[in-house]
Amino acid sequence: MIIDTHAHYDDGQFDSDRETLLAKMEDAGIGFIVNAGSTISSWDKIQKLTEDYPFVYGAIGVHPDEVGSLDEEQFARMSAPLDQEKIVAVGEIGLDYYWDNESHELQKEWFIRQLELARGKDMPVIIHSREAASDTMEIMKKHAAGMKAVIHCYSYSAEMAKEYVKMGYYIGVGGVVTFKNAKKLKQVVQEIPLTSIVLETDCPYLAPVPYRGKRNCSLYLPYVAEEIAALKETSVEEVVRQTEINSRKLYNFLDIL
Ligand code: NI
């Protein structure tokens, strides 16, 4: 089965047809979806999605663009949803120096606090990192050693990807890999083992070719799997089989059918 390790079905872009769309997943071979948290207001919506759909799991966290809305009180509120059975990770958390919505110091502080929260609960983390390669690596080395993690929507060098792989982390690959100009990511996929790759949409964003620019959804993941198979000179079936195993290990789904 295909596992979407990173989606945002709580997004308003799905308000008009969320139910019809999610009803199509099982027949399309999409086995599980992990809906990542981004804002504080997403947390309730995500919990509701996990209650409404057996195949939807959730992650709770605050995206680096949104950490300005965090304070001790809000941070303390994260703990209870994380203890729920269908919430399987802390995320997405990290650093974003591209949008630079918040100061680097504030981003780092809440990134580290959320990593520590995940460690305390023995939960995996979903890492968002954009234009912040060296600071992210430094924080992961210092504060996330031995933890399970996925570097989602990976956008850095193959060399750094190999370093993350050595640290035991997974590399999240989505629609971008199908873009003609995504030379760097294609090289990453070629150079790291398939045992370290997980599939993701980041929907509604980053739809693969031939839907580039449109609203993304998990139904388009076969295009991502096809591109990875071509780059690694293997079959789509093998990509789906191995990334399923990887995703199950990442989120501790091993015993769920
Ligand atoms: Ni995301």
Side-chain angles (χ1 to χ4, degrees):
M1 65 170 67
I2 291 174
I3 298 185
D4 187 347
T5 60
H6 190 119
H8 298 280
Y9 284 104
D10 56 294
D11 193 283
Q13 287 192 49
F14 294 109
D15 283 352
S16 58
D17 63 345
R18 185 176 290 111
E19 209 177 322
T20 2
L21 185 61
L22 287 171
K24 293 177 186 161
M25 295 301 163
E26 197 181 346
D27 285 346
I30 314 297
F32 291 113
I33 295 167
V34 175
N35 199 103
S38 49
T39 60
I40 294 172
S41 62
S42 72
W43 300 349
D44 286 344
K45 292 181 197 160
I46 292 169
Q47 288 180 78
K48 175 90 168 63
L49 283 171
T50 68
E51 284 160 20
D52 290 350
Y53 299 94
F55 54 90
V56 175
Y57 289 75
I60 296 290
V62 179
H63 188 286
D65 289 346
E66 302 286 337
V67 291
S69 59
L70 266 175
D71 55 25
E72 291 304 329
E73 195 190 332
Q74 296 297 338
F75 182 65
R77 278 186 55 222
M78 274 181 77
S79 185
L82 286 172
D83 291 338
Q84 291 184 7
E85 204 188 331
K86 290 191 78 188
I87 302 299
V88 294
V90 173
E92 57 189 289
I93 61 175
L95 302 173
D96 193 318
Y97 297 169
Y98 176 78
W99 291 111
D100 246 352
N101 269 6
E102 302 296 343
S103 75
H104 296 184
E105 283 320 301
L106 194 73
Q107 291 191 39
K108 285 184 201 170
E109 182 191 328
W110 286 114
F111 180 22
I112 294 167
R113 294 285 301 275
Q114 293 184 89
L115 283 175
E116 284 167 352
L117 179 65
R119 184 187 290 284
K121 292 183 179 291
D122 199 16
M123 290 176 86
V125 285
I126 301 172
I127 306 301
H128 171 104
S129 178
R130 198 163 174 201
E131 310 262 318
S134 61
D135 282 0
T136 305
M137 178 59 84
E138 194 187 318
I139 289 176
M140 291 304 283
K141 276 188 173 156
K142 235 192 216 166
H143 300 274
M147 289 172 67
K148 285 188 185 180
V150 54
I151 315 297
H152 128 79
C153 196
Y154 186 78
S155 60
Y156 301 132
S157 68
E159 198 185 359
M160 186 169 268
K162 284 190 248 179
E163 203 173 342
Y164 278 128
V165 165
K166 239 188 254 167
M167 292 159 77
Y169 302 147
Y170 294 95
I171 302 294
V173 177
V176 174
V177 78
T178 67
F179 299 175
K180 235 184 180 160
N181 55 355
K183 289 207 180 81
K184 214 162 73 172
L185 183 58
K186 289 179 199 282
Q187 193 194 347
V188 167
V189 168
Q190 281 171 327
E191 292 194 20
I192 63 172
L194 189 55
T195 47
S196 296
I197 296 174
V198 293
L199 303 177
E200 63 170 45
T201 55
D202 205 18
C203 65
Y205 309 104
L206 300 172
V209 172
Y211 296 101
R212 187 173 181 177
K214 305 244 164 63
R215 187 187 71 174
N216 197 7
C217 73
S218 313
L219 298 174
Y220 303 158
L221 277 175
Y223 295 102
V224 176
E226 268 169 35
E227 181 64 27
I228 294 173
L231 289 165
K232 297 206 81 63
E233 295 178 349
T234 184
S235 65
V236 178
E237 291 72 24
E238 175 59 11
V239 171
V240 170
R241 190 193 68 81
Q242 187 61 53
T243 56
E244 175 185 347
I245 294 172
N246 304 343
S247 309
R248 285 175 178 273
K249 283 185 183 165
L250 167 65
Y251 292 132
N252 302 312
F253 274 159
L254 280 175
D255 40 3
I256 302 171
L257 287 177

